[in-house]
Amino acid sequence: MTDFLAYGFVQRALITGVLLGVSCAVLAFFVVLRRMAFIGVGISHAALGGVALGVVLGISPMLAATVFSVGVAWVIGWIAARGRISEDTAIGVFFPTTMALGVALISLSPTYRQDLMGYLFGNILAIRPSDVWVLASLATVSLGILTLFFKEFLFLGVDEEAARAAGIPAEALRYLLLTVLAVTVVASMKLVGIVLVSAFLVIPAATGQAVASSTHGMLTVAIVSSLVSVVGGLWLSWLWNLPSGASIVLLAATLFFLAFLAGRRRGR
Amino acid sequence: MSITPAVLVRDLVFAYDRDEAVLRGATFTVQVGSFTALIGPNGAGKSTLLRVLLGLLRPGSGVVQVFGGPPGDRSRPIGYVPQRVRLPAGFPLSVAEVVLMGRYGKLGLMHSPKDADRVHVAEALVRVGMDGKANRRFGELSGGQQQRVLIARALVGEPLLLLLDEPTAGLDPAVRARFYALVCDLQNSHGLTVLCASHDLEALSEHADRLVLLDGDVRTEGPPSVVLESSALARCYEFPAPHDHT
């Protein structure tokens, strides 16, 4: 374990991973409450289109992915709010379309393929020193927004109509939550990967829900399980040379199943 | 000197997007302190009308006032009880947390609840007979208990007007009767004005002061004994009128 912590790339992955783990766990609470799991899948796959656009346009893939993912999240939210097409259907249109765009653009840039696995499944080596501040800032801002507007997001998730009647600005907060979701997805991309990040936006909260008897308990268990998954997953990734996203998500899923069994024994 | 009604609706027209108007010139008033029931068949515009009064929908034309002001004016708080609140299965949200949400409008954005808000929650739960259940999971309660909790949530906002949107749908007759008895009790003890949209003609005839029959516009209104005997009611609900011998 001492060897593991001695490496600079491991330290960078741990610093960003811990912050993103807390941010993802709190976000997962709202993803589960608002039944937004599928939109997490849609936005994370849209990030591939953004990465590819960045490569083709010669700009930072992270920046391009952020702008592109936020844009896709807003468009999905806007279409769903019009009520003519369901949110599921809108995601079902954008998810494969943006993924196909990413694949098509990357195929035009053959030299880029070697990095693709890292973006798809996470790479412990991918976080450069310059990334740490950016990712840590994104995670901190996301967490700050979720904390500041916690009660408003909770009310909107439980009963949007009553929340709007009470003067909660539902529309603005819905787009804010979608923005936080998109930014967190992109920030987690290097560590967990585009394909797997959506799981990380559900599993910690599901683990919390399986054993906790209160929302505070659910949040606490979600955060702890998320941190154990990130730190343990990164260690396993280093130990067995696995993609970091795969080991993090597998560990998170293991914790979920253990929590589920423990919850059943306690009659939850 | 005329007394300002709790609700004034005059020539209200509303349509969703470019669809046919749901409300087509509805006109009625709700007096302060009364229990008025809004009845009418499915699609009559009852829920739409409540949303207009809450300030969630903007009328196409006509006049809508709540205590003499525009709908959605937060200085005249309205308590709202929906038909149901559906949480994801097993979500561990407590009864107290649900009721506390009724204070969020008063607290304003980014302000956390204080001890005084929790006192309001405890008092409201006593008023609806749900004290001792504050820490129970909301999702584990029966339908009737959930509706009592939603009334408590509306009460903690200290409303002058309580709007209920088909609050007893899916509940059995005994639970419905107890629910309306509670609403009546709150109306009398707290001077609340109640406007309730419902199909529950039997229970409403017992508890409401006044019925308003809506079907796009107001077909008839008055005391329950008059409205329930009217041919307009029979036409709207498509059942034989009590005095229709033709």
Side-chain angles (χ1 to χ4, degrees):
Chain A
M1 193 65 161
T2 319
D3 289 350
F4 169 64
L5 294 172
Y7 291 98
F9 71 88
V10 169
Q11 291 165 8
R12 291 194 293 275
L14 279 173
I15 291 167
T16 52
V18 164
L19 284 167
L20 286 167
V22 176
S23 184
C24 280
V26 179
L27 189 53
F29 175 86
F30 291 110
V31 167
V32 168
L33 172 63
R34 301 189 65 150
R35 303 168 176 92
M36 293 170 75
F38 193 37
I39 200 168
V41 174
I43 292 171
S44 58
H45 286 75
L48 182 67
V51 167
L53 269 177
V55 171
V56 170
L57 297 174
I59 58 173
S60 158
M62 281 286 287
L63 178 65
T66 304
V67 173
F68 192 73
S69 298
V70 170
V72 168
W74 284 10
V75 171
I76 290 172
W78 181 80
I79 289 174
R82 301 282 76 77
R84 296 280 179 187
I85 295 174
S86 75
E87 188 172 272
D88 273 9
T89 306
I91 298 164
V93 171
F94 278 93
F95 164 17
T97 306
T98 51
M99 188 100 188
L101 176 71
V103 171
L105 290 174
I106 283 173
S107 71
L108 298 173
S109 173
T111 55
Y112 198 72
R113 281 180 203 168
Q114 55 191 356
D115 293 335
L116 190 58
M117 279 292 282
Y119 276 112
L120 288 176
F121 302 109
N123 183 354
I124 193 170
L125 298 168
I127 297 173
R128 297 165 301 177
S130 58
D131 290 333
V132 174
W133 281 109
V134 176
L135 298 183
S137 302
L138 289 176
T140 307
V141 169
S142 294
L143 192 57
I145 290 171
L146 292 171
T147 308
L148 275 176
F149 294 102
F150 188 88
K151 78 176 199 306
E152 286 81 10
F153 287 137
L154 184 65
F155 199 179
L156 287 166
V158 170
D159 188 348
E160 182 166 331
E161 201 155 71
R164 287 174 62 207
I168 308 284
E171 194 86 339
L173 287 175
R174 197 156 52 86
Y175 284 104
L176 183 63
L177 189 60
L178 286 170
T179 305
V180 169
L181 186 61
V183 167
T184 306
V185 161
V186 176
S188 309
M189 194 169 63
K190 285 195 169 183
L191 210 57
V192 191
I194 287 164
V195 175
L196 299 172
V197 68
S198 56
F200 209 52
L201 290 170
V202 174
I203 296 176
T207 305
Q209 191 180 338
V211 287
S213 55
S214 69
T215 49
H216 288 107
M218 178 177 165
L219 266 171
T220 305
V221 174
I223 290 169
V224 170
S225 71
S226 180
L227 292 177
V228 169
S229 307
V230 168
V231 176
L234 286 173
W235 182 63
L236 292 174
S237 166
W238 174 80
L239 198 64
W240 293 330
N241 196 26
L242 296 170
S244 52
S247 52
I248 289 170
V249 170
L250 282 174
L251 191 52
T254 305
L255 292 175
F256 166 73
F257 286 116
L258 290 174
F260 183 74
L261 292 174
R264 277 178 63 95
R265 282 175 69 95
R266 287 169 50 200
R268 282 253 71 85
Chain B
M1 195 176 77
S2 64
I3 299 170
T4 306
V7 172
L8 184 149
V9 175
R10 192 186 304 140
D11 301 324
L12 173 60
V13 175
F14 178 86
Y16 290 97
D17 295 327
R18 290 173 193 157
D19 295 341
E20 188 187 342
V22 179
L23 295 168
R24 303 178 290 275
T27 297
F28 70 99
T29 56
V30 175
Q31 296 308 319
V32 174
S34 69
F35 183 157
T36 303
L38 207 51
I39 60 171
N42 290 332
K46 303 186 295 295
S47 297
T48 301
L49 180 53
L50 295 188
R51 289 188 184 105
V52 171
L53 294 174
L54 286 165
L56 303 179
L57 298 174
R58 194 187 295 257
S61 64
V63 176
V64 180
Q65 291 181 348
V66 179
F67 294 107
D73 182 350
R74 312 285 167 230
S75 66
R76 299 169 185 85
I78 298 176
Y80 173 60
V81 179
Q83 189 174 329
R84 285 206 69 178
V85 164
R86 288 188 176 84
L87 295 175
F91 199 85
L93 193 72
S94 73
V95 165
E97 284 174 303
V98 171
V99 178
L100 190 59
M101 288 173 189
R103 297 292 294 172
Y104 290 178
K106 280 191 174 295
L107 285 168
L109 287 176
M110 296 188 281
H111 288 87
S112 300
K114 305 279 188 298
D115 287 346
D117 298 301
R118 295 179 215 291
V119 170
H120 278 284
V121 170
E123 288 171 355
L125 285 172
V126 171
R127 281 155 74 177
V128 300
M130 292 293 287
D131 46 322
K133 293 197 165 50
N135 294 320
R136 286 277 304 276
R137 284 188 183 202
F138 178 78
E140 289 174 351
L141 300 180
S142 68
Q145 288 176 322
Q146 288 188 358
Q147 288 309 99
R148 283 172 175 263
V149 172
L150 294 178
I151 287 195
R153 185 183 72 178
L155 292 178
V156 294
E158 299 169 273
L160 302 170
L161 172 65
L162 197 58
L163 298 184
L164 304 104
D165 189 4
E166 303 199 23
T168 56
L171 302 182
D172 66 55
V175 175
R176 285 203 299 257
R178 283 202 296 275
F179 179 85
Y180 285 118
L182 169 68
V183 173
C184 258
D185 182 44
L186 292 169
Q187 176 215 353
N188 294 324
S189 59
H190 296 85
L192 277 173
T193 306
V194 177
L195 178 58
C196 176
S198 178
H199 291 293
D200 204 348
L201 302 182
E202 193 180 326
L204 291 171
S205 66
E206 194 180 326
H207 295 289
D209 305 314
R210 200 167 176 79
L211 301 185
V212 175
L213 175 61
L214 189 72
D215 193 7
D217 57 0
V218 174
R219 297 301 168 93
T220 186
E221 62 177 311
S225 56
V226 174
V227 173
L228 292 177
E229 293 294 312
S230 69
S231 55
L233 183 79
R235 281 197 298 275
C236 282
Y237 279 93
E238 294 176 352
F239 53 68
H243 302 299
D244 188 356
H245 302 294
T246 56

